[in-house]
Amino acid sequence: MLVEDAPERLTSKPSWLLTQLAVHAKKLSTDCFAEAGARGYHYRILATLAEFGPASQIDLGRRGNIDRSDVVAAVNQLADQGCVERAPDPADRRRNIVTLTAAGERLLHRLDRALDEVQDGLLAPLGPDDREEFTRLLARLLAHHRDRGGW
């Protein structure tokens, strides 16, 4: 359904508009990652490792908002590609510490560039100031609802 064909009761609701845009943004991101031979989980894990350094799989899941079983599968795939390395945690040999490799950094940079193009396309109607404000407002809403235990 096109937004123009939707009832005004829907199109006047920010929740409906956000949902429609989120579906579109998810498709664009998924397609972008697929073209690069990756998935969104891969990007989240690589970005987390690049920003915070080596981490346990539990921490990767928590920071990337990824289910434990999905973390294991994604880390396995990234390890098979040589993008991450796993080693037993010296403090607790029952868990692994995951480390970003040079190949993982290269993949992350490729994914960053591709995702930047997606952002540019998604936000094309907005100028730089509006993009910054829109992002700031979305982050503010997200923080508010997370802080209040909204999910």
Side-chain angles (χ1 to χ4, degrees), residues 68-143:
R68 175 181 284 164
S69 63
D70 293 326
V71 170
V72 171
V75 167
N76 286 342
Q77 292 162 351
L78 289 168
D80 289 346
Q81 296 171 22
C83 294
V84 299
E85 293 177 345
R86 279 181 298 218
D89 182 346
D92 183 350
R93 304 214 44 91
R94 294 171 295 173
R95 70 179 181 184
N96 287 319
I97 295 296
V98 181
T99 305
L100 186 64
T101 65
E105 288 181 26
R106 288 190 298 274
L107 176 58
L108 178 59
H109 290 301
R110 278 198 326 270
L111 295 176
D112 277 336
R113 287 190 301 274
L115 196 53
D116 285 346
E117 289 179 21
V118 166
Q119 305 307 302
D120 285 342
L122 181 67
L123 301 176
L126 303 178
D129 290 343
D130 287 340
R131 288 179 186 203
E132 189 175 310
E133 179 70 1
F134 181 66
T135 302
R136 187 187 67 74
L137 290 171
L138 287 174
R140 183 172 157 193
L141 286 168
L142 183 61

Side-chain angles (χ1 to χ4, degrees), residues 1-23:
M1 169 180 4
L2 298 174
V3 172
E4 299 86 38
D5 295 336
E8 190 273 334
R9 277 193 167 107
L10 293 177
T11 61
S12 67
K13 305 292 187 230
S15 59
W16 188 84
L17 293 169
L18 282 169
T19 300
Q20 299 308 301
L21 189 58
V23 168

Side-chain angles (χ1 to χ4, degrees), residues 45 56-68 71:
I45 289 169
S56 70
Q57 292 178 175
I58 291 171
D59 286 340
L60 289 173
R62 184 180 50 77
R63 287 188 184 271
N65 196 25
I66 306 170
D67 183 78
R68 175 181 284 164
V71 170

